[in-house]
Amino acid sequence: MRNGDPDVTGITIDDLQLLADEIKAFATRPDAAELRWTVAVKGENPTAVLQGFIQHCLNRLHVLHVVLFNDGRISAPPELGIRRRKTWKDELTPPDTPPRIKYVVERWLRLQLSTGSTAETTVGQVRDDIRRLIVWLTEAYPAVESLDQLTREHMEEFLEWLAALINPRTKAPYAIQTRRGTVSSLVVFFRETGRLGWSDVPGRPLLGPADLPRTVQSLPRFIPRDQLDTVMEIAEALECPFQRAAMLTIRWTGARRSEVRRLEVDCLDAYPDGYPRLRLPVGKGRTERTVPLHPHAAEALRPIIDMARAANYAPRLDPTCQRLVQRIFVNLGKPISAEYLFMTPLKMACEKLGLLDAEGRPLINPHRFRHTVGTQLAEGGAQLQTIMSILGHRSASMSMVYSRMTDPVVKEQYEQVLATTGRIAGPAVDLLLKDGLDEEAVHWLKTNFFKTELELGHCLRLPQEGPCECDLYLRCGKFFTTSEYAPRLRQRLATEQQLIQDATERGWPREIERHAAISRRLRELLTELGQPEDGEHAPCIRPDNGDRQ
């Protein structure tokens, strides 16, 4: 009507944006609310009624955009509010950034975006990290107009400010990992801009690896078996086929949420023997990958794929791989959010099972399924390369954490020493309990632990440290024993008592003193182990490997 053109096939994105502007402008009229019947006749709240009416109109306009996009009449993908929402790329630096600093920072960030060498989400994080420095700089040193004016003293002040900076969401200081990421981004920024020879940059390293806050390496939080089984029972009973398929897929693949949301219509096929295989899109590792898929999950995906093919929605540009794709998790022409696919069913399941923290938040999030798959693979004896391939890890160190969690040697020794209600004693206890062994020693002991066994315990001495004397001197710093050796300790104590008696009869005071000292040490070890001195003696059998040389 506005253009006087009855041909609706000529509607463009500009027409939709213009109509959205007119709807919003209508809301600013002083009499806009009075034109609504519920206000004029029923006396309802004018502000609430007008806001609801405007939102209703914009939602209807959005639906029209979705229809025209999937019909091929408009090429711009639909977004709520018609106009493109403002993103972090529209404001790379704070508004009050000095011009010379603004130019350098924005030039650097746009270079990262244009080359594609760094993931877009990573560039966004780097942008936030550099913004923290700019915010501090404009407040603490407003006279600084260029980054080449910065000194090491400036950066040391910034590090102190960063350590005390409060996260507005948690009302607590930022986590160590966040601060470490900020410092790391600045290290790279200063190094690379200096290497490129840009002006208005320090041209020298103001920060280095020593400035990175030390982090605590935490283990992956896998889902315990009992919780996993009950949560998946609820997931399998979900009425929504999209939610059910999404939940089963992350359960059996350990894929990231973004990877599952972006699955394409040709994602599912099979190995030569017929076992299902899933092709996951380009993710954090910047590569596609195929993984085996549990038949139960494949069964849930097939109807979703069939629906996507039948609907034949218009393909959308995938920013990660930069090509048009047809996704399967699409409803009424719109991609389904991760919130609906994963968080909504998980929240419902956790509330039903009582799996909530002190603040009422779900204890299980989608990423824990990824940790669970990695842990189960390691526990099942999967090779490191297999874990890397399934989880899409770029380096072995990322997958090794699961192997460390399920180390069979650690489990075996735990069962021998602790799980049987046993105890541990001896000078080497502190080395074991306080993680005092270096990596070389740990590696040798893992692969050669049988060589450490002695008559009365174990010796942690490495081959290059010389011959073992623990059986002679029970105070050696590398000696420890366990409750398992209590019968042998008691038998050795009885032998020492006999030797004391024999030396007394022969008049050998030095021998009496020596055997008495060994007896005292044996009693100390038995006391540390919580074992009595007189008990049922077990036969003292030397280890098969004989004395250590």
Side-chain angles (χ1 to χ4, degrees), residues 473-522:
Y473 306 102
L474 298 177
R475 297 186 183 275
C476 172
K478 294 299 181 73
F479 172 76
F480 78 94
T481 188
T482 69
S483 300
E484 181 184 9
Y485 292 89
R488 297 183 183 181
L489 290 168
R490 281 193 288 263
Q491 187 171 14
R492 176 69 177 272
L493 178 60
T495 301
E496 293 297 330
Q497 293 300 309
Q498 294 174 0
L499 292 173
I500 291 175
Q501 180 64 31
D502 181 68
T504 301
E505 294 174 356
R506 295 173 183 269
W508 295 344
R510 289 291 183 89
E511 285 298 296
I512 296 173
E513 182 181 352
R514 184 170 71 86
H515 292 298
I518 295 175
S519 296
R520 286 194 299 272
R521 181 55 181 153
L522 290 168

Side-chain angles (χ1 to χ4, degrees), residues 256 284-285 289 370 387-394 398:
R256 302 176 179 91
K284 190 176 179 180
R289 67 184 189 278
R370 182 170 174 82
I387 301 176
M388 291 177 61
S389 299
I390 291 179
L391 298 184
H393 288 159
R394 288 174 292 181
M398 300 172 70

Side-chain angles (χ1 to χ4, degrees), residues 15 35 49-50 61 76 149 189 233 257 265 284 317 332 342 355 357 408 416 433 436 445 472 526 539:
D15 295 326
L35 298 176
V49 169
L50 183 60
L61 190 58
Q149 297 175 248
F189 171 69
E233 285 178 7
R257 284 174 291 178
V265 292
K284 190 176 179 180
L317 179 68
L332 299 177
F342 305 107
L355 300 176
D357 64 11
Q416 290 180 359
L433 299 184
L445 291 169
L472 296 177
L526 286 169

